[in-house]
Amino acid sequence: MATDREQVFKHLDEFKIELPSWGFADTGTRFGKFVQAAAASTIDQKLADAGVVNKYTACCPTVAVHVLWDFTVGVNATETAAIAKKYGVSIGSINPNLFQDQVYKFGSAASPNESARQHAHRHVQDCISIGKAVASRLYSFWFADGINYPGQDDLIARKRRMSAALRQWHDASPADATLLIEYKPFEPAFYATDVADWGMSYVFCKEAGPKCKVLVDTGHHLPGANIEQIVAWLIDEQMLGGFHFNDRKYADDDLTLGSIDPYAVFRIFHEIRTAAEVHGKDVSKIAYMIDQSHNLKPKIEAMIQTVMGAQELYAKACLVDRRKLADAQAAMDIVAAESCLKDAFFTDVRPLLAEWRKRKGVDADPMAAYRASGYEARVATEREAWRAARGVTSGGSYA
Ligand code: PSV
Ligand code: MN
């Protein structure tokens, strides 16, 4: 392999993955949820769990917060930042909630209902204040906006309302802020979603201003979409803001990244490394974030497994022999070119990662070390008692 291990280690040092606060709470499908004794109920408990994942993996220093789920009545943003610090992490992206309130029945920013748009505007202003209080400059927007039936609303009018709101929020946010605009083809809207794909997100970002970038949630594509090509284009246009990591088989399934198609994740990482190494693109500001809420797996183990899997696939992408690949491409030798990718993908990088972890001062096998720690059993007992004292039945603040 042309890439030496020191270079891979350097890339791994820079590959930080943000954990979602909501991934530590009880969650479910619309058919029900299976509660876990160790699930977190409060932002304090979620940050404690995130701190544990960071402790064993040494690559998850920030935690995404979902404003209405985490900043419930009585939760102070400055104090929350201090709690995060106590657990060895800090607050990362701020996720406004523009979908849960009854007022959003016909959408938020794109709604024909003036009071829904105003409600959304006030909430985003609160989110900007929270961002300032916790010293985060990353705002991550996902809109459930859309319509269920042809004719329900005017599509161009909806586009213009959304665009006006984003421009306003762009201008209201701090100069050094980044606003990530996530797209999703369907759900909860079933006929037309207002930010349905990367092209629509791109147009909204361009119209709003330079602080806006596209967010690629890996689970938010129609079957067969070529996500790595979208990623390559967005990087080349300097419009890729970040990722929400997860995997899918059918829809937005929230499965563990790479559990269904690890080669697809590898191909995304390969495009990122190609953009950086072959085309000199700055990929240092891409925000890598997990967006998974596990209904069946234990929460912390699911996160550790995701992080380890992402690191392995990223390391494999670093190993692609890009000189050999360029030669094969120049010679139009398709078989040799594809083999460059396959050779890297099938390389066992686990010993390399074990070595990287040793250098970071963490256990070579984070999952085994975490399991041996007894943390889950301990917090399960504590949290059951905590919930019993308050008459709470499940550790969920994920809607
Ligand atoms: C919507 O499906 C989404 O991907 C958005 O990022 C939300 O913030 C998140 O899921 C909630 O889990
Ligand atoms: Mn997402």
Side-chain angles (χ1 to χ4, degrees):
M1 287 289 161
T3 310
D4 72 25
R5 52 199 288 121
E6 292 306 322
Q7 259 175 296
V8 180
F9 287 159
K10 192 175 148 282
H11 297 322
L12 285 170
D13 288 346
E14 290 157 4
F15 186 56
K16 304 278 189 243
I17 303 173
E18 182 161 301
L19 301 166
S21 67
W22 55 96
F24 299 102
D26 271 331
T27 180
T29 68
R30 66 183 191 278
F31 301 105
K33 80 180 174 188
F34 298 105
V35 298
Q36 296 183 19
S41 296
T42 62
I43 183 64
D44 189 303
Q45 293 172 1
K46 293 172 194 174
L47 290 169
D49 291 357
V52 167
V53 175
N54 186 42
K55 176 179 158 193
Y56 288 101
T57 59
C59 75
C60 303
T62 59
V63 185
V65 287
H66 226 295
V67 170
L68 290 192
W69 302 335
D70 294 327
F71 294 91
T72 43
V73 179
V75 175
N76 174 289
T78 317
E79 279 168 22
T80 304
I83 294 168
K85 199 168 170 206
K86 181 176 85 185
Y87 294 122
V89 288
S90 58
I91 305 295
S93 62
I94 311 293
N95 289 249
N97 186 314
L98 297 163
F99 47 89
Q100 215 170 288
D101 198 285
Q102 288 298 314
V103 76
Y104 299 138
K105 183 169 180 182
F106 303 110
S108 61
S111 175
N113 177 356
E114 168 75 25
S115 44
R117 297 202 300 276
Q118 279 172 4
H119 195 80
H121 183 60
R122 280 192 300 274
H123 179 60
V124 172
Q125 282 176 316
D126 289 347
C127 292
I128 292 173
S129 304
I130 289 175
K132 288 179 184 164
V134 301
S136 169
R137 289 293 179 267
L138 207 53
Y139 299 91
S140 196
F141 289 83
W142 171 68
F143 296 93
D145 288 49
I147 57 177
N148 276 8
Y149 299 97
Q152 182 184 324
D153 196 6
D154 180 319
L155 293 174
I156 291 179
R158 294 188 71 88
K159 171 178 177 285
R160 290 179 183 169
R161 288 182 214 122
M162 175 67 73
S163 190
L166 287 172
R167 214 172 308 131
Q168 197 178 4
W169 299 339
H170 173 277
D171 295 346
S173 62
D176 57 350
T178 300
L179 281 68
L180 303 170
I181 312 298
E182 179 173 358
Y183 58 89
K184 179 173 178 174
F186 79 102
E187 193 205 40
F190 292 125
Y191 165 63
T193 295
D194 292 305
V195 194
D197 65 23
W198 72 275
M200 293 158 87
S201 173
Y202 176 95
V203 168
F204 283 131
C205 288
K206 282 287 181 191
E207 285 177 356
K211 290 181 233 168
C212 286
K213 303 282 177 217
V214 179
L215 181 120
V216 176
D217 182 313
T218 47
H220 290 186
H221 300 86
L222 294 173
N226 188 331
I227 304 175
E228 63 268 29
Q229 190 173 21
I230 295 170
V231 168
W233 275 57
L234 288 173
I235 298 177
D236 198 40
E237 295 295 320
Q238 281 147 31
M239 289 302 284
L240 179 66
F243 287 93
H244 271 179
F245 285 157
N246 51 58
D247 209 341
R248 66 190 288 279
K249 175 79 179 137
Y250 302 107
D252 185 20
D253 307 331
D254 265 7
L255 300 180
T256 307
L257 182 78
S259 57
I260 302 296
D261 191 350
Y263 191 47
V265 181
F266 164 85
R267 296 195 307 267
I268 291 172
F269 291 155
H270 165 61
E271 290 304 328
I272 294 172
R273 294 309 324 152
T274 301
E277 290 165 35
V278 178
H279 301 285
K281 291 284 169 185
D282 178 10
V283 296
S284 65
K285 291 187 188 65
I286 298 173
Y288 299 102
M289 302 173 278
I290 298 172
D291 182 5
Q292 294 172 185
S293 297
H294 291 273
N295 193 15
L296 305 180
K297 281 181 180 174
K299 321 286 176 188
I300 294 179
E301 290 187 6
M303 290 301 159
I304 293 175
Q305 190 180 39
T306 303
V307 171
M308 291 175 70
Q311 286 184 307
E312 282 171 26
L313 292 163
Y314 196 76
K316 286 169 189 274
C318 292
L319 291 180
V320 172
D321 189 334
R322 293 198 165 73
R323 182 163 305 169
K324 203 166 155 192
L325 179 60
D327 289 346
Q329 288 172 343
M332 286 160 281
D333 185 343
I334 305 168
V335 171
E338 190 189 11
S339 295
C340 288
L341 269 64
K342 289 285 176 70
D343 286 347
F345 179 68
F346 287 110
T347 305
D348 184 2
V349 293
R350 286 171 298 184
L352 192 88
L353 277 155
E355 174 61 26
W356 180 82
R357 291 187 181 114
K358 251 196 268 164
R359 289 193 190 190
K360 296 281 144 194
V362 297
D363 199 282
D365 185 344
M367 188 69 83
Y370 166 71
R371 284 192 163 191
S373 75
Y375 179 85
E376 177 157 348
R378 183 165 59 75
V379 295
T381 310
E382 285 170 13
R383 290 174 187 178
E384 270 181 332
W386 185 94
R387 284 192 294 272
R390 285 161 185 79
V392 181
T393 48
S394 94
S397 56
Y398 175 83

